[in-house]
Amino acid sequence: MPEDQNQGQEGGWNYRQEQEGSPIPGAVQQAYPEQEAVSWVASEYISQTKNGGWYFALFGAIVLICGVVYLVSRDLLSVIFLSVMGILFAVIASRKPRQMQYTIDAEGILIGNREYDFGNFKSFSLQHDGAVGYISLLPLKRFMPEIVIYYAPEDEQRIFDALALNLPNENHKETIADKFARIIRF
């Protein structure tokens, strides 16, 4: 067999290199349309009304916890630390939510100026807290918090469709932290 005919044959199979740019014979080429971006503006979280009684109860809880810790440990540093944490908790609780711009496109999710790739999430779930709907994005990373995104009821179907193209929809259970935050109206 001449050398140029043997080229590309090894062990009973033939290999023939296709020229660059030539289509693979028999391959079906599909064109997927670009995913249309879905955008909306919503509050970054639902603000619970906190009156003077709420802050008074928080102050009482801080004093009670600090008193118990001091009686058990006799450590003033722990009491100071817990007091500062309680004050920071009160400051964070009094903060009003910002209006955020949300966008879902083929690349991922844009929340304000932060971009999240779909590869960071295991699944999503549409949840409802009374009349308010929100999306819960379950992250793949263990210590990354669950991301919650609120939306207007009229946007629900568009948002669901855009997310369903990229992530599986699973029902997420409410965590203990979520239940506790709802109980204390945080």
Side-chain angles (χ1 to χ4, degrees):
M1 194 183 268
E3 269 187 50
D4 55 326
Q5 284 183 344
N6 191 25
Q7 191 175 21
Q9 286 186 334
E10 289 184 17
W13 63 277
N14 291 326
Y15 170 74
R16 186 183 67 168
Q17 184 176 0
E18 295 287 330
Q19 290 185 353
E20 192 174 312
S22 66
I24 299 171
V28 177
Q29 294 184 2
Q30 294 180 342
Y32 294 102
E34 287 279 326
Q35 179 180 350
E36 184 178 321
V38 177
S39 294
W40 71 98
V41 175
S43 178
E44 68 179 320
Y45 59 88
I46 301 300
S47 178
Q48 303 289 337
T49 56
K50 296 168 190 71
N51 57 18
W54 189 90
Y55 290 102
F56 185 73
L58 177 63
F59 176 73
I62 293 168
V63 169
L64 180 68
I65 291 169
C66 287
V68 169
V69 167
Y70 183 74
L71 289 174
V72 170
S73 69
R74 299 283 184 210
D75 184 15
L76 193 57
L77 187 60
S78 296
V79 172
I80 292 170
F81 176 76
L82 288 172
S83 299
V84 169
M85 293 303 293
I87 292 167
L88 288 175
F89 186 80
V91 168
I92 291 170
S94 67
R95 196 180 128 232
K96 299 295 179 200
R98 297 175 293 174
Q99 292 294 310
M100 302 289 288
Q101 174 74 35
Y102 299 95
T103 303
I104 300 172
D105 59 16
E107 300 297 319
I109 301 168
L110 183 66
I111 302 172
N113 294 327
R114 292 202 61 181
E115 207 171 313
Y116 299 93
D117 292 333
F118 289 117
N120 292 329
F121 302 104
K122 178 180 179 183
S123 62
F124 79 98
S125 176
L126 292 180
Q127 307 281 339
H128 291 89
D129 186 8
V132 179
Y134 63 93
I135 301 161
S136 173
L137 294 164
L138 188 64
L140 286 172
K141 295 178 183 175
R142 174 171 279 177
F143 295 110
M144 182 179 174
E146 185 174 3
I147 294 181
V148 175
I149 302 172
Y150 291 92
Y151 58 86
E154 61 269 9
D155 294 332
E156 183 171 304
Q157 191 60 48
R158 297 183 316 132
I159 294 167
F160 179 85
D161 293 342
L163 285 171
L165 288 173
N166 300 291
L167 291 171
N169 180 22
E170 295 178 354
N171 288 330
H172 301 165
K173 293 181 181 178
E174 189 176 37
T175 64
I176 294 171
D178 293 334
K179 290 176 185 177
F180 180 70
R182 189 176 65 243
I183 289 169
I184 65 169
R185 293 186 299 149
F186 184 67

